[in-house]
Amino acid sequence: MDGELEKAVAMNERGAVARRENAFAEDPRKESRSKGGEVPGSDSVERQEQSNVMSGGLSYGGKRFGDLLIEAGVISEDELAGALERQRETGERLGEALVSLKLATERDIVAALASQLEIDVFDSGLSGNIDADIVLTIPEHMARRHHALAIEKAGEVLTVAMADPLDLVAIDDIRVATGMELQLQVGLLSEIDQAIGVAYRNATASQRLNEVIAGAKVELNIAKDAGLEEMSEQELRSRAEDAPIVKLVNIILAQAIAERATDIHIEPMEDKVVVRYRVDGVLYDSTIAPQHFHEAIVVRIKILSDMDVAERRVPLDGRFTASFENRDVDVRVSTLPTIYGEKVALRLLDKSGTSLSLEDLGFESEMLRIFKRGITRPYGMVVISGPTGSGKSTTLYAGMRELDRIGKNITTLEDPVEYHLERINQVNVNPKAGLTFASGLRSLLRQDPDVILIGEIRDVETADLAIRSALTGHMVLSTVHANDACSTATRLVDIGVEPYLVTSAVALVMAQRLVRTICPHCRTSYEPDPAKVRALGGDELEGVEFMHGAGCKQCRGRGYLGRTAVFELLELSPELNELIVAGASADALRKQAIEEGFITLRSNAIGKVKEGITTVEEALGVVTEFV
């Protein structure tokens, strides 16, 4: 007992010494002031400042940080001297000074530390897949303070990813808090902080749902051999409407709505059920439940959606409305039989989303002027292209808000109607009942419309009717699937419309994508991968201060909050119309358009990176095919 006490006292004394030394390492002038003397000379400052990494750590194994970088060939002796001089002038840490002087990047520093200390580099892609129990081994407040994340446990050894593996104070704190020996990895400060946010958010959500699941096991006595798939419809309904399952499904829905998710995916695996949310266009794991909960969750959702709970062999569709914090959310439900059971996808349509205006969508001032001019014409056609989920419908709805809905008869044909706008007639197409886009458009033209919105042009019949409507005094807004604006102009010809009709009717074509916007609450500068910078913009991004989100509670550790659109608009000039009639390719149209001042998706995305609206990685992700 006495031996353990002596050991604990010695550990605390070492920790106190380390903390005192670390405080001086962060600013060597503190030691001088504490003794009432002058700032130490350059030799003294160098010895202490070299021990300071990006976050203010100490030496490792007797080696100072600057020495490690010199040994790794990242910097020279003269460059280190210059960085130390800047550090004395600005008060920056040595790593920050090296990055500011462009003598090294954060990645250079991480690679050098990993090599010299013989430790691994942290893989930031693992943050969403770490076991909750391992993540919570380190208290969240300590993880954030020391920029450290527990990622693996083997016996009494805990693998911890740190932004600063030379920080003896942090290592000592974590070792005492966990009671385990540590195996270190090193990673970029920005990636570590973002991973911490994701990992602790997932761990907390998993912990909360596990409590509900544990309660359900007790109350319902659910076991692997419960045989839910063999129960009658009445038994299935009874089991799915028990309080614990109801609570579990409610938590899944409430959490998704609170996180601004657009979709929920409930996916059965061989031994588990994975619940994923799509937030700002990206899927995240939210919950993992035992596989034998799957059937009860699916049946509960089917009951809410008024679907056949006993039918598991064919895909089913349904819908219901969920209320959350005085918001009504329309939930569209789709099931799909898989080898391990029914996969359920829920699309969440927040009706409050229709309040967006064109100014909120991300248009540059000149682009906004061109788009408004296009949709307010007395007749003609405006076509928007982009993949599913690129915000085409949102842009069209925002455009219709700009129109005179009292003085004009505006009617839409949609599949399905996603948002509701006052003073607009909205029609849900129903192919099973014979109401298609083409048949609906024929009937609509007898309703004296001024503006027609067609959800999507999919076939030559609909395309031909839309074109002829635009030529006979109607304003037509629609979407097609195409890669870019120039391909959109030729897509209608490919569908089967005569080229001369396209050039006569279409006034404006537009392509758009969505990129995530940097969280304003944790926005900070960073050093992206140079290869990605070159791939996106090359010389155009020379000297730009790149921004990203470090991860915080507001963005739940993701670094992004919300999305904005990237656009390219093409007004069909006489020269472009001649090329279309001549059957020119999309590449030929693009070349001519660029000569006329056309701004491409890539250029628009680069502009948003320069403005600090989004990151290099996001911009590159939506324009790769055009680079």
Side-chain angles (χ1 to χ4, degrees):
M1 185 70 177
D2 291 340
E4 292 178 2
L5 180 60
E6 289 175 3
K7 183 179 179 181
V9 170
M11 185 175 290
N12 285 335
E13 287 177 351
R14 288 198 302 272
V17 171
R19 287 180 177 82
R20 185 163 61 251
E21 291 176 351
N22 188 53
F24 296 147
E26 289 186 2
D27 186 347
R29 290 166 288 189
K30 292 180 182 178
E31 183 173 15
S32 171
R33 287 193 292 269
S34 69
K35 295 179 180 178
E38 298 299 322
V39 175
S42 60
D43 291 342
S44 174
V45 171
E46 181 173 338
R47 283 196 301 273
Q48 295 195 41
E49 288 180 331
Q50 280 195 38
S51 69
N52 176 34
V53 195
M54 294 299 287
S55 58
L58 299 176
S59 63
Y60 183 94
K63 294 182 180 180
R64 294 171 304 202
F65 177 50
D67 295 333
L68 290 176
L69 294 180
I70 291 173
E71 288 180 18
V74 175
I75 58 173
S76 66
E77 295 260 6
D78 291 342
E79 288 172 334
L80 174 60
L84 289 170
E85 179 63 30
R86 177 184 173 90
Q87 186 186 31
R88 282 189 289 273
E89 294 173 357
T90 64
E92 292 176 312
R93 295 176 171 83
L94 179 56
E96 294 170 333
L98 289 167
V99 173
S100 298
L101 291 171
K102 299 188 182 303
L103 298 176
T105 66
E106 286 187 63
R107 294 183 187 277
D108 291 334
I109 294 170
V110 166
L113 284 171
S115 174
Q116 294 298 306
L117 304 181
E118 296 183 351
I119 59 179
D120 292 333
V121 175
F122 170 61
D123 180 1
S124 59
L126 297 174
S127 57
N129 301 312
I130 307 171
D131 186 89
D133 291 335
I134 294 175
V135 170
L136 297 173
T137 303
I138 302 175
E140 184 174 359
H141 68 89
M142 183 178 291
R144 291 187 181 277
R145 183 170 75 248
H146 293 313
H147 311 285
L149 176 65
I151 59 176
E152 193 175 333
K153 187 188 293 184
E156 293 302 313
V157 178
L158 183 67
T159 301
V160 178
M162 300 184 68
D164 185 356
L166 304 182
D167 190 344
L168 298 184
V169 176
I171 293 169
D172 187 46
D173 280 352
I174 295 169
R175 185 184 288 119
V176 171
T178 62
M180 303 180 71
E181 290 301 315
L182 305 185
Q183 179 174 316
L184 301 181
Q185 292 187 4
V186 60
L188 269 66
L189 177 65
S190 56
E191 291 184 352
I192 292 285
D193 284 347
Q194 190 162 342
I196 286 170
V198 172
Y200 279 92
R201 174 180 55 81
N202 288 349
T204 302
S206 179
Q207 196 175 46
R208 181 184 178 195
L209 282 161
N210 283 341
E211 291 172 0
V212 176
I213 290 169
K217 284 182 178 179
V218 173
E219 293 186 40
L220 300 180
N221 192 29
I222 292 180
K224 291 184 180 180
D225 59 354
L228 281 171
E229 67 279 0
E230 298 175 359
M231 289 184 178
S232 66
E233 180 176 342
Q234 185 175 355
E235 289 173 318
L236 286 170
R237 286 182 176 274
S238 175
R239 181 60 60 90
E241 291 180 341
D242 277 321
I245 292 299
V246 170
K247 185 176 181 181
L248 179 59
V249 173
N250 287 348
I251 288 176
I252 291 172
L253 287 168
Q255 184 178 332
I257 295 170
E259 293 196 22
R260 303 175 299 104
T262 55
D263 300 87
I264 304 172
H265 292 259
I266 300 173
E267 302 171 334
M269 305 294 175
E270 184 176 9
D271 58 348
K272 60 189 174 185
V273 181
V274 177
V275 179
R276 298 197 289 171
Y277 298 151
R278 188 180 295 279
V279 181
D280 293 333
V282 178
L283 280 170
Y284 298 94
D285 282 359
S286 171
T287 308
I288 296 178
Q291 212 283 337
H292 41 276
F293 273 78
H294 169 253
E295 190 73 23
I297 293 172
V298 172
V299 172
R300 173 60 186 164
I301 293 172
K302 284 185 174 182
I303 290 171
L304 291 172
S305 310
D306 195 24
M307 297 160 69
D308 185 353
V309 299
E311 180 57 76
R312 309 181 189 89
R313 300 163 300 174
V314 297
L316 300 174
D317 295 306
R319 60 181 293 179
F320 64 93
T321 300
S323 296
F324 178 76
E325 295 181 350
N326 298 320
R327 291 157 55 195
D328 287 336
V329 178
D330 194 16
V331 183
R332 306 291 173 90
V333 182
S334 173
T335 67
L336 181 70
T338 73
I339 58 174
Y340 296 121
E342 291 176 281
K343 177 187 181 296
V344 182
L346 299 92
R347 168 64 58 88
L348 309 180
L349 300 172
D350 189 346
K351 296 175 182 177
S352 64
T354 55
S355 60
L356 284 175
S357 66
L358 287 174
E359 286 75 13
D360 298 325
L361 299 183
F363 279 104
E364 306 296 334
S365 57
E366 178 62 15
M367 285 185 170
L368 180 60
R369 185 185 67 80
I370 293 172
F371 185 72
K372 283 186 174 182
R373 184 172 66 202
I375 63 173
T376 54
R377 290 164 54 98
Y379 59 89
M381 190 170 181
V382 172
V383 185
I384 302 180
S385 70
T388 300
S390 61
K392 302 185 297 295
S393 296
T394 300
T395 299
L396 288 176
Y397 273 104
M400 287 193 296
R401 290 175 61 87
E402 300 284 327
L403 303 178
D404 178 10
R405 286 176 280 167
I406 296 177
K408 292 182 180 294
N409 177 15
I410 304 174
T411 306
T412 73
L413 285 170
E414 303 171 70
D415 182 22
V417 173
E418 295 186 9
Y419 303 112
H420 301 282
L421 284 180
E422 290 187 7
R423 306 303 295 265
I424 289 181
N425 308 291
Q426 296 174 272
V427 179
N428 223 341
V429 301
N430 186 354
K432 292 181 180 179
L435 179 56
T436 63
F437 281 115
S439 63
L441 184 53
R442 285 196 190 89
S443 300
L444 191 158
L445 290 171
R446 294 192 288 272
Q447 293 284 318
D448 184 33
D450 295 298
V451 179
I452 303 168
L453 185 150
I454 304 171
E456 182 183 347
I457 293 177
R458 301 172 179 171
D459 53 61
V460 63
E461 186 179 12
T462 306
D464 189 61
L465 284 168
I467 290 288
R468 295 185 184 280
S469 298
L471 290 172
T472 54
H474 305 92
M475 186 65 219
V476 179
L477 311 175
S478 190
T479 71
V480 299
H481 281 293
N483 288 333
D484 55 25
C486 294
S487 298
T488 303
T490 60
R491 174 63 178 152
L492 294 172
V493 177
D494 294 339
I495 289 175
V497 180
E498 292 293 336
Y500 73 90
L501 291 177
V502 173
T503 58
S504 300
V506 178
L508 177 69
V509 292
M510 182 174 87
Q512 73 176 66
R513 301 288 190 277
L514 294 178
V515 294
R516 292 181 290 175
T517 53
I518 298 168
C519 174
H521 306 286
C522 58
R523 187 172 176 271
T524 184
S525 60
Y526 83 121
E527 189 70 32
D529 185 339
K532 293 182 179 178
V533 175
R534 289 193 299 272
L536 177 64
D539 295 340
E540 292 184 61
L541 292 170
E542 185 70 31
V544 172
E545 181 182 12
F546 298 103
M547 308 300 292
H548 82 148
C552 62
K553 288 186 177 179
Q554 282 79 5
C555 64
R556 299 183 182 270
R558 298 182 181 116
Y560 298 97
L561 193 62
R563 290 189 287 180
T564 191
V566 175
F567 300 101
E568 60 178 22
L569 277 74
L570 183 65
E571 286 188 295
L572 296 186
S573 65
E575 292 77 12
L576 289 170
N577 282 333
E578 286 180 10
L579 288 173
I580 293 172
V581 171
S585 66
D587 288 339
L589 292 180
R590 173 176 289 273
K591 183 178 179 181
Q592 174 62 33
I594 290 174
E595 290 179 4
E596 297 177 6
F598 175 59
I599 298 175
T600 64
L601 280 171
R602 175 175 170 272
S603 296
N604 193 229
I606 289 173
K608 285 181 166 56
V609 170
K610 288 180 177 179
E611 294 174 30
I613 295 172
T614 192
T615 62
V616 169
E617 292 80 5
E618 273 295 295
L620 193 60
V622 299
V623 300
T624 300
E625 65 266 39
F626 308 113
V627 176

